[in-house]
Amino acid sequence: SVNPMAYEAQFFGFTPQTCMLRIYIAFQDYLFEMMLVVENVILKKLDGFPGSKISPCQIRKSTEKFLLFMKGHIDKLFSKMEEVLLQLVLSIPKNVILPEDKVHELYPYSKEQLQALQDEISQLQQQYRAEASAGQALQAELEEQKVVRAELEKILQWFDGLENICREHGTSNFKESFAFLTQNSKKLQDVLKDVEEKSN
Amino acid sequence: ALDESVAQIKEYIARFTAESQSWDQLLLRHRETAEYMSRQLEECRRSQGQAEPLSYLQTSQAQVFSTKPDYQKILADQGEVLSCMELVLDELQQAVKLLQAFSEDSRQYLRHLS
Amino acid sequence: ELIVETATKRKQWPKKILMHAIQTMKAEQEMLKLYQPFVTPEEIRS
């Protein structure tokens, strides 16, 4: 089955399979290069034997045969090497968490828990705004109270003024003064009646 | 086996493509939200934070608000007091004028008699 | 390429998202601090 080895790719920055492929291609390229070098060396040596019956074409065929042989061996060995490298070197054990993912081990929040947290934050922000509005409303009410207080104090001052005027004119108690005035008027009325009788 | 592997590969391709797009969308969404909030903050700073008040009937001060007195009525009630005082002083003034008139009449009568 | 691209995003995008999330939260906090609701006092007629 296909194993994408994505976690390894996250760590290395390349997939292990790509890495092995690149190594294999490098081996192959090197093998081709070497084959060419070997072929050139043989051809040069052949030039030193003018009587030789071996043609460059035969050398080329042998080179290709040798290449196939070497490639076959390399392929066998490489597949073993690839297996070992993929299993033991270019792999991350199942129990290992990469540093960038450690936070999920320490704080494993589910989607629901995250949503709950976000909802709570929203609610707290709304509550804060409501409380701030309430604070401002209370401030506004204090201003209203100041106006009312000023009006009520004006009324009290008016009564104080009235009291002062009465005191200045010798009348601290309206009821008493009026009663006294009425009494005196009654006395005057009696005296006048008396005088009128006597006059008659 | 080859067909199976090909099918698996196709599935992986679809899954990884979808995941890659999801990551991009998630990043874009967060970036747009951050940019939007930055613009909102600038707006807020320009308006010096002035905003419409929210309903405060469910706050910790709800009880205080529910017992808010009617300040206009308190002042209006004082109007009655002043009206009453006006009436009283008017009556007093009239009564005193009456008594003064009586006093003046009495003095004139006695002077005349004298 | 697709595997590497996706794996790179798994590694790096969370950091960028975190950066934007922090920016968002700081802006929200700042706006809360600046929040100045204005409540007009009722007019009291003399």
Side-chain angles (χ1 to χ4, degrees), chain A residues 10-194:
Chain A
Q10 185 176 323
F11 178 68
F12 291 112
F14 49 81
T15 60
Q17 295 93 332
T18 308
C19 181
M20 295 315 300
L21 180 66
R22 298 260 160 87
I23 294 172
Y24 176 78
I25 290 170
F27 276 12
Q28 209 173 38
D29 288 349
Y30 188 70
L31 179 67
F32 287 173
E33 260 180 56
M34 283 300 113
M35 284 294 138
L36 280 175
V37 166
V38 163
E39 190 186 59
N40 282 338
V41 164
I42 293 172
L43 283 172
K44 268 197 184 125
K45 284 253 190 275
L46 207 59
D47 285 343
F49 296 101
S52 167
K53 286 177 189 159
I54 304 170
S55 68
C57 201
Q58 276 175 304
I59 301 290
R60 178 38 69 97
K61 276 202 181 120
S62 299
T63 310
E64 281 169 4
K65 228 170 146 180
F66 187 41
L67 175 66
L68 274 171
F69 170 76
M70 287 300 291
K71 195 170 173 307
H73 274 276
I74 282 176
D75 285 350
K76 246 190 251 174
L77 291 170
F78 190 85
S79 69
K80 284 189 187 143
M81 185 177 87
E82 185 182 37
E83 211 179 302
V84 168
L85 284 177
L86 285 179
Q87 273 179 11
L88 301 179
V89 177
L90 297 174
S91 76
I92 295 177
K94 293 273 178 244
N95 63 323
V96 168
I97 294 185
L98 294 176
E100 59 265 22
D101 298 327
K102 268 264 185 266
V103 67
H104 295 292
E105 194 185 30
L106 297 170
Y107 306 105
Y109 279 115
S110 66
K111 206 161 65 162
E112 291 77 26
Q113 282 173 314
L114 176 65
Q115 189 60 45
L117 266 178
Q118 285 174 329
D119 291 343
E120 195 187 332
I121 288 172
S122 254
Q123 199 196 353
L124 283 170
Q125 286 173 340
Q126 271 300 88
Q127 233 174 309
Y128 174 88
R129 286 197 186 94
E131 293 287 342
S133 300
Q136 288 302 311
L138 289 174
Q139 290 289 339
E141 192 175 330
L142 279 176
E143 291 302 314
E144 288 166 25
Q145 284 182 355
K146 267 187 209 165
V147 171
V148 171
R149 191 191 175 93
E151 287 293 314
L152 292 174
E153 275 177 5
K154 260 201 280 187
I155 292 170
L156 284 176
Q157 272 173 18
W158 183 83
F159 275 107
D160 285 343
L162 186 63
E163 211 176 298
N164 286 340
I165 289 170
C166 293
R167 208 177 294 122
E168 271 170 35
H169 288 80
T171 316
S172 58
N173 190 333
F174 271 123
K175 199 172 171 184
E176 271 178 30
S177 303
F178 194 68
F180 179 71
L181 201 58
T182 322
Q183 219 175 16
N184 275 3
S185 301
K186 189 82 179 55
K187 276 186 194 164
L188 185 59
Q189 216 175 25
D190 292 338
V191 165
L192 280 175
K193 206 172 165 186
D194 213 14

Side-chain angles (χ1 to χ4, degrees), chain A residues 1-4 6 125-127 129-131 133-135 137-138 141 144-145 147-148 151-152 155 158-159 162 174 178 181-182 185-186 188-189 191-192 195-196 199, chain B residues 5-6 8-9 12 16 52-56 58-61 64-65 68-69 71-72 74-75 78-79 81-82 85-86 89 92 95-96 99 102-103 106 109-110 113:
Chain A
S1 69
V2 176
N3 181 3
Q125 286 173 340
Q126 271 300 88
Q127 233 174 309
R129 286 197 186 94
E131 293 287 342
S133 300
L138 289 174
E141 192 175 330
E144 288 166 25
Q145 284 182 355
V147 171
V148 171
E151 287 293 314
L152 292 174
I155 292 170
W158 183 83
F159 275 107
L162 186 63
F174 271 123
F178 194 68
L181 201 58
T182 322
S185 301
K186 189 82 179 55
L188 185 59
Q189 216 175 25
V191 165
L192 280 175
V195 165
E196 202 175 5
S199 167
Chain B
S5 297
V6 166
Q8 250 189 332
I9 287 169
Y12 273 123
F16 280 123
E52 282 297 311
L54 289 185
S55 165
Y56 34 80
Q58 304 292 328
T59 61
S60 60
Q61 307 303 312
V64 174
F65 287 120
K68 181 180 173 181
Y71 294 113
Q72 192 62 67
I74 289 172
L75 282 189
Q78 303 308 309
V81 169
L82 292 175
M85 279 305 294
E86 197 179 358
L89 288 176
L92 206 59
V96 168
L99 288 171
F102 171 66
S103 167
S106 307
Y109 171 72
L110 288 172
L113 194 61

